[in-house]
């Protein structure tokens, strides 16, 4: 089992910045990918950014050039630096870690979510 705890959300004006953190504890091994997802009211949860165990990153088109995902393996933490925030970025942000134990066994772990609100 992997436990994820997010922090760093809050209220910010448009154009401002926030940095989200997600720290893992528990059986942290064979982690395949780490990512951030967001869910706005009335909408489905969607991908924001991911980073693989090899360091490759991928971003939603809506955040490219504004958000940066990074990891600190020594601290078992993944970050999401959010710059030039827009009101449409308002959502609950969830951390997700994928653990691949075998070709047939894959676990997805989610954090509790952190609210990001961007005022216009």
């Amino acid at each position: 089992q992997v436990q994820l705890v997010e922090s760093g959300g809050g209220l910010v004006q448009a154009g401002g910045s926030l940095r989200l953190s997600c720290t893992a504890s528990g059986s942290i091994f064979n982690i395949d990918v780490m990512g951030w997802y967001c869910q706005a009211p009335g909408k489905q949860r969607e991908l924001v950014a991911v980073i693989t165990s090899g360091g490759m990153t991928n971003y939603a088109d809506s955040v490219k050039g504004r958000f940066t995902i990074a990891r600190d393996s020594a601290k078992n933490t993944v970050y999401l630096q959010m710059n030039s925030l827009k009101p449409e970025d308002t959502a609950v942000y969830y951390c997700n870690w994928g653990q691949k134990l075998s070709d047939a066994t894959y676990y997805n772990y989610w954090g509790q979510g952190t609210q990001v609100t961007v005022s216009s």
Side-chain angles (χ1 to χ4, degrees):
Q1 287 281 339
V2 175
Q3 294 79 42
L4 302 175
V5 177
E6 299 128 333
S7 61
L11 173 64
V12 64
Q13 288 188 332
S17 298
L18 285 173
R19 189 177 80 156
L20 306 183
S21 300
C22 173
T23 300
S25 61
S27 302
I28 307 167
F29 55 87
N30 291 357
I31 300 299
D32 182 50
V33 63
M34 296 157 279
W36 289 94
Y37 292 71
C38 69
Q39 187 167 18
K43 295 187 177 181
Q44 289 188 332
R45 192 172 299 186
E46 58 185 26
L47 173 72
V48 176
V50 293
I51 184 167
T52 70
S53 58
M56 294 182 63
T57 58
N58 192 32
Y59 297 90
D61 288 342
S62 60
V63 307
K64 284 180 180 177
R66 299 189 298 123
F67 291 9
T68 302
I69 189 169
R71 62 180 182 176
D72 185 333
S73 298
K75 296 182 178 180
N76 294 319
T77 299
V78 62
Y79 303 97
L80 185 68
Q81 178 66 45
M82 310 165 69
N83 298 329
S84 303
L85 282 160
K86 304 175 181 179
E88 50 263 44
D89 295 320
T90 295
V92 178
Y93 284 72
Y94 295 92
C95 178
N96 171 267
W97 285 40
Q99 186 179 46
K100 185 175 182 180
L101 300 184
S102 70
D103 288 343
T105 305
Y106 196 96
Y107 293 112
N108 265 307
Y109 298 99
W110 293 92
Q112 81 284 0
T114 185
Q115 177 70 46
V116 171
T117 303
V118 184
S119 63
S120 57

